[in-house]
Amino acid sequence: MTSRLTRWTWGLGALLSLGVAGYAYHYLLPGAFAPPGIAENPMTYPWLFVHAGLAATALLLGPLQFLPRLRLKQPRLHRWIGRTYVFACLTGGSAGLALAMGSTAGPIARVGFAALAVTWLITTAMAWRMILHRRFDDHRRWMIRSFALTFAAVTLRIYMPLAQILHIDPMEAYRAIAWLAWVPNLMVAELYLARRPLRVAQAA
Ligand code: HEM
């Protein structure tokens, strides 16, 4: 993390992730209930609560893994956070897939969320596989893709109020956002990876 722009981007991303993760953890409080629109999803009980808790953990931990200082100076900590992140993505993503099947917003939203879940599971599993084979550069590339998808939780919550401000029909907006929340994130990650060949220290 060298340039000032990179530091600011990381700080903003981490702050937004913290905010959305903090909001999601409220589902773990006793007596928490699903909001209207989501409560009607037949998968809500128990998958929303499993999903919110685990996916929020991935969102909270993800930004820490991009700190070069932590990676190089505390490799054991980096590994433990990484294992927790992978576990949170794989379990939270599976619960997200179950929820996607039951979304009451119709087939466009169902397929959009399901595609996000499957892509999230694949990119995270690939990142894990690469590190098991000690392919550090590929590991980092797949982790960037995985976190771009984890970050969909943040972009979704930016687009929702934006659609409201723009007076877009909430259901139409929700269907579009089931795709818009993650496809552009993945495109940005791919552009970044194409422009910056990564070289990772073997100590990762
Ligand atoms: C990246 C893969 C993800 C997928 C496929 C996914 C999928 C879903 C689905 C399908 C729903 C229910 C929507 C409906 O019934 O229409 C949902 C709700 C929710 N998800 Fe995710 N999600 C993902 C990531 C995350 C992350 C990283 C968080 C972390 C904060 C998160 C937190 C929540 C919360 C809190 C809800 C409840 C709705 C709300 O209160 O805003 N999700 N998710």
Side-chain angles (χ1 to χ4, degrees):
M1 192 149 315
T2 43
S3 79
R4 184 176 285 203
L5 179 68
T6 312
R7 276 201 295 273
W8 275 97
T9 309
W10 183 89
L12 182 65
L15 201 67
L16 290 169
S17 299
L18 185 70
V20 173
Y23 158 75
Y25 279 134
H26 92 269
Y27 282 108
L28 302 183
L29 296 174
F33 56 90
I38 293 186
E40 294 76 24
N41 182 329
M43 298 295 183
T44 291
Y45 296 94
W47 298 116
L48 177 66
F49 302 86
V50 173
H51 168 70
L54 289 160
T57 304
L59 192 60
L60 200 64
L61 295 179
L64 299 176
Q65 296 299 79
F66 294 104
L67 290 172
R69 202 184 299 176
L70 185 115
R71 220 165 45 229
L72 296 170
K73 299 233 163 96
Q74 305 278 346
R76 270 171 65 87
L77 184 61
H78 174 76
R79 275 185 224 119
W80 275 106
I81 296 176
R83 284 174 192 137
T84 314
Y85 174 85
V86 168
F87 175 79
C89 289
L90 297 182
T91 48
S94 305
L97 183 58
L99 282 168
M101 305 295 184
S103 177
T104 53
I108 295 175
R110 275 201 290 273
V111 176
F113 284 129
L116 166 61
V118 171
T119 318
W120 201 30
L121 293 173
I122 292 172
T123 52
T124 310
M126 284 302 289
W128 186 24
R129 197 175 129 91
M130 289 303 130
I131 202 61
L132 291 181
H133 288 89
R134 303 187 69 76
R135 287 169 57 177
F136 300 111
D137 218 40
D138 289 327
H139 165 67
R140 189 153 185 236
R141 296 174 78 83
W142 283 106
M143 270 307 181
I144 286 172
R145 293 180 182 114
S146 167
F147 189 71
L149 297 170
T150 310
F151 203 71
V154 173
T155 39
L156 180 138
R157 284 163 187 87
I158 292 173
Y159 297 149
M160 291 294 283
L162 207 64
Q164 216 173 349
I165 292 166
L166 297 173
H167 302 290
I168 300 172
D169 174 74
M171 192 49 90
E172 292 301 318
Y174 194 66
R175 284 177 189 137
I177 290 169
W179 293 91
L180 286 175
W182 63 278
V183 176
N185 294 14
L186 204 53
M187 285 164 63
V188 170
E190 289 303 334
L191 279 177
Y192 174 81
L193 291 171
R195 281 168 60 97
R196 288 183 58 142
L198 299 167
R199 259 174 250 105
V200 176
Q202 293 299 302

